[in-house]
């Protein structure tokens, strides 16, 4: 059995990209209570300016969408990161293992710190160190595989490096994890800017399809999606025709088809967009219906998170305690 861990940060409403690239992949995985852990990584939402009430609201919404998407608390462990102290306990030990240079080379730190400085905001220290917390999220559970998008691969590589370094310095303590990427629609792109990822933190832009968008809103966004200039027709070419390729990727992910083969079925953009809109609406319909049911019973969702945190704590504590002993700290 392979232990897997992955999580989503509650910094915005979840998108079609989150569903196709993460949630649906998690549901399709072999869920087992002690081997599959899925977490709302709420502590990571505090690395930039934020509204506390919004973080709480989005954290609850993300957890509810985990369940609505089909994750079964009887078959996997669902929990809130901040409810398990072992994440922050281990993070400090890994900060004592990582280097300043490693942190400053992280791509997301460079991008987010530049945006913060450009807007006149200060850059929080946690923005520099949060990849270490992410490594702690992974290593605390003896994780072997981390399902992530391509943009998070660098963070999993850091977790691998820190695990190896800690093991070499202080004795065998951590399992060395590896990143696993989904095969289809691993990175759904913005419908208006098809060279940019469809991101949940980008506001309510017309190129972002949210999981809880109403069907009419989804259709409008897809029908207004940017295609590519020229009269080359519907061709699957990510480099030369990113807009059309993105639509074909989404359609393929929704229907189980092959994007290149699907391209041959269309002579114009209108029909392609119509079919993509229909496919997305139907894909998200049962998730939205289930979300509405769960949102009407928040106590049930809180119970799942409470029980999941207890299970996660029981799994993480022996590993983190072992790391404390290995690095030279006295037991209480």
């Amino acid at each position: 059995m392979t232990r897997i861990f992955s999580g989503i940060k509650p910094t915005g409403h979840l998108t079609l990209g989150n569903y196709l690239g993460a949630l649906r992949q998690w549901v399709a995985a072999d869920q087992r209570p002690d081997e599959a852990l899925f977490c709302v990584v709420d502590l990571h939402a505090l690395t930039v300016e934020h509204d506390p009430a919004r973080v709480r609201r989005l954290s609850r919404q993300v957890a509810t969408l985990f369940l609505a998407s089909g994750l079964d608390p009887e078959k996997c462990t669902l929990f809130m990161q901040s409810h398990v102290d072992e994440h922050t306990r281990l993070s400090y030990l890994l900060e004592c293992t990582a280097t300043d240079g490693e942190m400053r080379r992280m791509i997301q730190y460079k991008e987010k710190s530049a945006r913060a400085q450009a807007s006149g905001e200060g850059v929080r220290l946690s923005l520099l160190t949060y990849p270490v917390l992410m490594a702690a999220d992974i290593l605390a559970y003896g994780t072997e595989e981390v399902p992530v998008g391509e943009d998070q691969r660098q963070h999993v590589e850091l977790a691998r490096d820190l695990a190896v370094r800690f093991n070499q310095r202080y004795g065998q303590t951590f399992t060395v994890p590896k990143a696993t990427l989904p095969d289809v629609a691993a990175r759904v792109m913005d419908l208006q800017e098809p060279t940019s990822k469809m991101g949940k933190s980008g506001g309510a832009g017309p190129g972002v399809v949210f999981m809880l968008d109403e069907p009419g809103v989804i259709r409008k966004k897809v029908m207004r999606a940017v295609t590519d200039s020229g009269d080359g027709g519907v061709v699957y070419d990510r480099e030369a025709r990113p807009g059309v390729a993105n639509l074909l990727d989404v359609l393929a992910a929704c229907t189980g088809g092959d994007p290149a083969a699907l391209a041959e079925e269309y002579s114009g953009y209108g029909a392609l967009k119509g079919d993509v809109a229909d496919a997305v609406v139907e894909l998200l319909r049962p998730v939205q219906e289930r979300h509405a049911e769960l949102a009407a019973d928040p106590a049930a969702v809180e119970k799942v998170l409470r029980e999941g945190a207890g299970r996660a704590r029981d799994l993480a504590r022996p590993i983190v305690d072992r790391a404390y002993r290995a690095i030279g700290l006295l037991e209480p």
Side-chain angles (χ1 to χ4, degrees):
M1 294 187 293
T2 300
R3 180 167 293 175
I4 64 174
F5 174 95
S6 198
I8 292 179
K9 184 166 52 176
T11 51
H13 299 289
L14 298 193
T15 71
L16 176 65
N18 292 125
Y19 183 68
L20 291 176
L23 289 170
R24 193 174 68 164
Q25 306 284 337
W26 298 353
V27 172
D30 188 11
Q31 301 178 51
R32 294 178 299 276
D34 292 342
E35 303 301 330
L37 298 103
F38 302 111
C39 179
V40 180
V41 285
D42 53 343
L43 293 174
H44 293 297
L46 311 184
T47 60
V48 295
E49 288 293 327
H50 63 276
D51 172 23
R54 185 170 186 266
V55 170
R56 283 190 291 270
R57 184 171 63 252
L58 288 175
S59 295
R60 188 174 293 110
Q61 185 184 90
V62 171
T64 305
L65 281 170
F66 278 10
L67 294 167
S69 297
L71 289 175
D72 185 346
E74 297 298 320
K75 298 180 180 179
C76 64
T77 299
L78 305 176
F79 64 103
M80 199 70 58
Q81 178 193 29
S82 62
H83 295 176
V84 181
D85 293 344
E86 278 62 33
H87 291 252
T88 50
R89 285 183 62 209
L90 181 56
S91 182
Y92 181 72
L93 299 194
L94 296 180
E95 285 186 11
C96 296
T97 309
T99 68
D100 176 76
E102 284 176 313
M103 297 299 97
R104 295 187 186 279
R105 287 194 295 272
M106 302 303 286
I107 294 172
Q108 290 204 13
Y109 171 72
K110 292 179 180 179
E111 294 175 348
K112 291 181 179 180
S113 62
R115 286 199 297 269
Q117 290 172 335
S119 63
E121 299 175 2
V123 180
R124 299 186 181 193
L125 179 61
S126 57
L127 184 61
L128 178 66
T129 60
Y130 92 90
V132 175
L133 176 58
M134 185 179 292
D137 299 338
I138 296 166
L139 299 181
Y141 297 99
T143 303
E144 294 164 280
E145 294 185 0
V146 187
V148 291
E150 180 63 42
D151 58 326
Q152 294 296 328
R153 184 195 288 270
Q154 187 185 33
H155 290 141
V156 181
E157 290 301 316
L158 175 68
R160 288 175 57 85
D161 292 343
L162 294 180
V164 169
R165 188 178 307 155
F166 193 100
N167 290 346
Q168 290 174 341
R169 289 179 180 175
Y170 308 115
Q172 186 62 37
T173 305
F174 298 119
T175 299
V176 180
K178 67 176 182 179
T180 58
L181 305 177
D183 295 328
V184 180
R187 199 173 193 191
V188 177
M189 312 306 280
D190 190 291
L191 296 178
Q192 292 297 316
E193 299 179 28
T195 57
S196 300
K197 179 184 175 183
M198 185 182 286
K200 64 181 181 296
S201 303
V208 179
V209 175
F210 296 104
M211 289 181 66
L212 296 179
D213 275 346
E214 295 181 357
V217 173
I218 293 173
R219 294 184 191 280
K220 182 180 294 185
K221 289 179 177 179
V222 174
M223 296 307 293
R224 293 180 177 177
V226 168
T227 48
D228 308 293
S229 59
D231 299 320
V234 179
V235 178
Y236 185 70
D237 186 333
R238 288 188 184 218
E239 295 298 323
R241 312 290 296 282
V244 175
N246 188 38
L247 290 172
L248 290 166
D249 278 334
V250 170
L251 183 59
C254 291
T255 63
D258 175 76
L262 287 170
E264 299 176 0
E265 300 178 13
Y266 296 94
S267 58
Y269 299 145
L272 171 61
K273 290 181 176 180
D275 284 355
V276 172
D278 289 343
V280 172
V281 167
E282 291 307 311
L283 180 76
L284 294 179
R285 187 188 306 279
V287 178
Q288 294 179 351
E289 291 173 351
R290 179 60 176 149
H291 176 271
E293 295 172 0
L294 291 164
D297 188 9
V301 177
E302 291 170 5
K303 181 174 183 289
V304 168
L305 294 174
R306 186 166 56 251
E307 292 177 351
R311 189 184 300 157
R313 200 175 297 118
D314 289 344
L315 292 171
R317 184 167 294 160
I319 296 173
V320 176
D321 285 349
R322 185 166 69 240
Y324 266 62
R325 291 192 298 271
I327 206 169
L329 299 175
L330 289 174
E331 294 186 46

